[in-house]
Amino acid sequence: MSARRIEGIRVAGIASAVPETIATLEEDAKHFGEDEMRRVAKNIGVRRRHIAKHLCASDLAQAAAIRLMRDLDWDPMSIDVLVYVTQCPDFPAPSTACVIQTRLGLGTHCAAFDVNLGCSGYTYGLWMIASLLGGGMKRGLLLVGDTASRAASPHDRAVVPLFGDAASATAVEVREGAPRMDFILGTDGRGAKHLNSRAGGYRHPWTPASTELRLGDDGVMRSDQHTYMNGAEVLTFAIQEVPKLVNAMRAAREWREEDVDAYVFHQASSFMLRTVARLAKLPIAKVVMELENYGNTSVASIPLAISAGLGATLSKDKQKLILVGFGIGWSWAAAAVEFGPIVMPEVLVVPDVHFEPEF
């Protein structure tokens, strides 16, 4: 696995946001049964999660970006590029990034575009925006967010208790002498059939039949608009690829295990993260896990875990981190970075109300 190296780019801050509405395991137990939810909770490690009944992921990303720019005292006109990574866009067209650009008051000189990635999206996005900066661009915003809970079939006991909603903003700027960033990225599209939502694109356009519930081979009632997840295949992929990826990333950076302060994985499930940590021979105390209160928040899970689990430390000190996103696609991306001290506001809780922007 070859690594891409980027120098002279600094992460100045990270802000994360969640909707105020909370779903709990106790509520799930009323629907799926207490014994089943007790078993599920043991595997996934989720007790409660924030879900958006009205908000879009872009609303959460906007709230995080506004707070971050305020705390950094960044003029919106100083932002040269905005990258928005999501699988829950506001519209099929235009790019949601264009809408966010206006809502944030960024200048018309700002490049803005969407990237359709899920579990690996934060580390991919960090590599992308860091690669873009320079050559006249000085500052950028990486926004990531999904409202994955809305895509779950209400009958799917493996998906409903797992997924929460969140978004995050990361401020990135050119800074001479900034610690280098290293990235390893990869793709194996043979995994697409194991984790997907089929309806709504041009391959399978939406029709009234798209919302019809049908019994799947796994015994779950779902429509083509709902998320299908083959949990066994996801776990197999993770245990085969992620430990190798972690070790390759550390070797590329020439870090020993004791040099790394923390490992922040995509928050897939506690069982999966503990299994990956054991296979990669990582101290479990160094593996950040914030699933209990937020669940699996898809593309936002890594920055949310950083905000919730490392925010107090990173606001004061520097840490060497290995970030690893992996999942839907199959797609994966790891980063070896040094963050801190950086601006790290507490996780924002956004009122879950519906509003319609001008577009």
Side-chain angles (χ1 to χ4, degrees):
M1 297 183 184
S2 59
R4 284 81 161 173
R5 178 180 298 181
I6 297 176
E7 310 226 20
I9 304 297
R10 169 181 178 260
V11 169
I14 300 171
S16 298
V18 295
E20 67 178 352
T21 303
I22 293 174
T24 67
L25 191 66
E26 289 73 22
E27 293 168 348
D28 297 328
K30 294 177 183 178
H31 183 59
F32 295 113
E34 291 186 7
D35 291 342
E36 180 67 19
M37 284 303 96
R38 194 176 296 114
R39 182 188 66 79
V40 169
K42 183 178 179 181
N43 286 331
I44 65 177
V46 181
R47 301 295 307 184
R48 63 203 292 267
R49 58 208 186 274
H50 294 256
I51 60 171
K53 293 186 175 181
H54 305 290
L55 293 167
C56 288
S58 65
D59 302 324
L60 298 169
Q62 177 184 347
I66 289 172
R67 175 60 183 272
L68 187 57
M69 288 191 295
R70 188 195 76 184
D71 287 1
L72 284 166
D73 195 26
W74 276 17
D75 183 345
M77 298 300 292
S78 71
I79 307 298
D80 298 308
V81 58
L82 166 66
V83 177
Y84 181 47
V85 185
T86 186
Q87 294 196 311
C88 303
D90 286 17
F91 314 102
S95 167
T96 306
C98 296
V99 179
I100 297 175
Q101 176 268 339
T102 294
R103 288 164 61 181
L104 290 178
L106 308 186
T108 55
H109 70 281
C110 179
F113 58 92
D114 289 1
V115 176
N116 181 355
L117 280 172
C119 315
S120 65
Y122 182 73
T123 35
Y124 254 99
L126 189 59
W127 163 72
M128 184 175 298
I129 198 165
S131 300
L132 289 170
L133 289 177
M137 288 188 175
K138 300 299 182 184
R139 284 180 172 172
L141 285 177
L142 169 62
L143 307 184
V144 301
D146 277 325
T147 50
S149 71
R150 292 186 182 178
S153 165
H155 304 283
D156 196 337
R157 65 190 63 196
V159 173
V160 170
L162 176 62
F163 284 100
D165 302 328
S168 181
T170 300
V172 188
E173 64 181 352
V174 174
R175 178 66 61 87
E176 185 177 353
R180 84 179 204 233
M181 301 181 188
D182 292 87
F183 297 88
I184 295 175
L185 309 103
T187 312
D188 183 356
R190 291 174 295 178
K193 61 186 177 182
H194 299 304
L195 182 54
N196 58 70
S197 296
R198 294 184 63 82
Y202 283 89
R203 181 68 62 188
H204 297 282
W206 184 91
T207 68
S210 302
T211 62
E212 293 177 2
L213 294 174
R214 293 183 295 277
L215 186 65
D217 293 339
D218 57 358
V220 175
M221 295 290 293
R222 66 171 65 84
S223 75
D224 284 345
Q225 287 190 315
H226 290 137
T227 296
Y228 167 75
M229 180 174 69
N230 185 328
E233 290 291 344
V234 175
L235 178 61
T236 298
F237 158 70
I239 62 179
Q240 288 180 345
E241 297 298 332
V242 179
K244 294 186 295 184
L245 180 60
V246 172
N247 292 325
M249 187 74 268
R250 201 169 53 206
R253 189 58 181 263
E254 298 181 335
W255 283 349
R256 300 165 298 174
E257 193 287 313
E258 56 266 31
D259 293 327
V260 181
D261 294 300
Y263 297 85
V264 190
F265 294 98
H266 165 56
Q267 305 286 289
S269 75
S270 60
F271 176 78
M272 192 177 297
L273 296 191
R274 291 180 184 278
T275 302
V276 166
R278 176 175 55 82
L279 293 174
K281 299 180 179 180
L282 308 179
I284 195 65
K286 288 188 177 183
V287 178
V288 177
M289 285 195 278
E290 292 293 334
L291 282 143
E292 183 175 8
N293 292 318
Y294 299 106
N296 177 339
T297 57
S298 188
V299 69
S301 74
I302 290 176
L304 178 59
I306 294 172
S307 294
L310 300 176
T313 300
L314 288 173
S315 65
K316 299 176 183 178
D317 300 310
K318 178 185 293 186
Q319 288 209 314
K320 294 180 178 179
L321 307 176
I322 300 288
L323 314 179
V324 186
F326 59 93
I328 189 169
W330 304 131
S331 175
W332 59 88
V337 297
E338 292 183 60
F339 289 169
I342 61 176
V343 169
M344 292 288 308
E346 293 184 356
V347 176
L348 306 174
V349 179
V350 181
D352 191 7
V353 296
H354 175 78
F355 74 96
E356 190 69 33
E358 292 184 2
F359 179 78

